[in-house]
Amino acid sequence: MTEVSSLTGRLLVATPALADPNFDRAVVLLLDHDQEGSLGVVLNRPTPVGVGDILEGWAELTGEPGVVFQGGPVSLDSALGVAVIPGEEGPLGWRRVHGAIGLVDLEAPPELLAAALGSLRIFAGYSGWGPGQLDDELSDGAWYVVESEPGDISSPSPEGLWRAVLRRQRSKLAVIATYPDDPSLN
């Protein structure tokens, strides 16, 4: 897969028809997408677990809500930090993924990144697809692919992110934002 066709840094927005309960109304930020497979985190699945309960040093650097998010169904016992750091150069302990979005080395001292952070989210687990698997799901119409914005990572209302991302599209996708949670009630 060439750099041009990579979806790294874009959002996967679950279509209403996607039947997998792990991804019902999910908004996934793709952190890697190439011929080896794809990896991302679900941006709109907050858990009741506070960041301070598992990564005390990082708790005061995360935005509201200050909880761990379920990044996906894979490796729920591992943590990923995703941060927005404006500017050309990022600090030690941060690796650019796309634009101002990058991964945080949670083993690094938080004070290395504190001054540079625009926003930070901590995710338990991730969403992963093997070679060609995501491409097949895209062909089947399971996901809408849209551009991400740095504010998506730190949305203060993650429960409304699915509708918000669709609503800002300048296409027929904006209408999908009004799709009812349970269409049988119409």
Side-chain angles (χ1 to χ4, degrees):
M1 186 165 294
T2 64
E3 186 66 33
V4 174
S5 64
S6 176
L7 299 178
T8 299
R10 298 183 81 189
L11 296 177
L12 299 178
V13 180
T15 67
L18 183 60
D20 185 338
N22 289 307
F23 296 109
D24 182 43
R25 303 255 170 149
V27 177
V28 178
L29 172 66
L30 280 175
L31 300 171
D32 192 24
H33 175 76
D34 60 23
Q35 68 274 9
E36 303 292 319
S38 303
L39 179 136
V41 289
V42 178
L43 298 177
N44 58 334
R45 294 279 192 275
T47 72
V49 179
V51 172
D53 295 342
I54 59 166
L55 293 168
E56 187 176 335
W58 294 98
E60 60 188 54
L61 299 177
T62 59
E64 289 299 320
V67 298
V68 174
F69 281 66
Q70 184 175 339
V74 182
S75 293
L76 291 173
D77 58 345
S78 65
L80 283 171
V82 178
V84 172
I85 297 187
E88 297 297 314
E89 293 294 320
L92 287 175
W94 180 79
R95 181 179 60 85
R96 186 176 312 279
V97 170
H98 179 78
I101 300 167
L103 289 168
V104 172
D105 177 0
L106 296 173
E107 298 293 322
E111 48 279 356
L112 273 180
L113 292 108
L117 283 177
S119 63
L120 170 67
R121 279 272 154 85
I122 305 296
F123 297 90
Y126 63 91
S127 302
W129 294 265
Q133 185 181 5
L134 179 57
D135 296 323
D136 290 345
E137 289 182 18
L138 291 171
S139 294
D140 291 343
W143 300 98
Y144 304 119
V145 179
V146 301
E147 295 297 326
S148 64
E149 294 181 1
D152 295 334
I153 293 167
S154 58
S155 172
S157 303
E159 298 85 1
L161 191 60
W162 185 84
R163 288 188 194 283
V165 167
L166 288 172
R167 195 173 296 119
R168 75 176 183 229
Q169 303 309 306
R170 295 181 182 203
S171 65
K172 66 178 178 83
L173 292 183
V175 175
I176 306 273
T178 63
Y179 196 85
D181 291 335
D182 185 354
S184 69
L185 297 177
N186 275 348

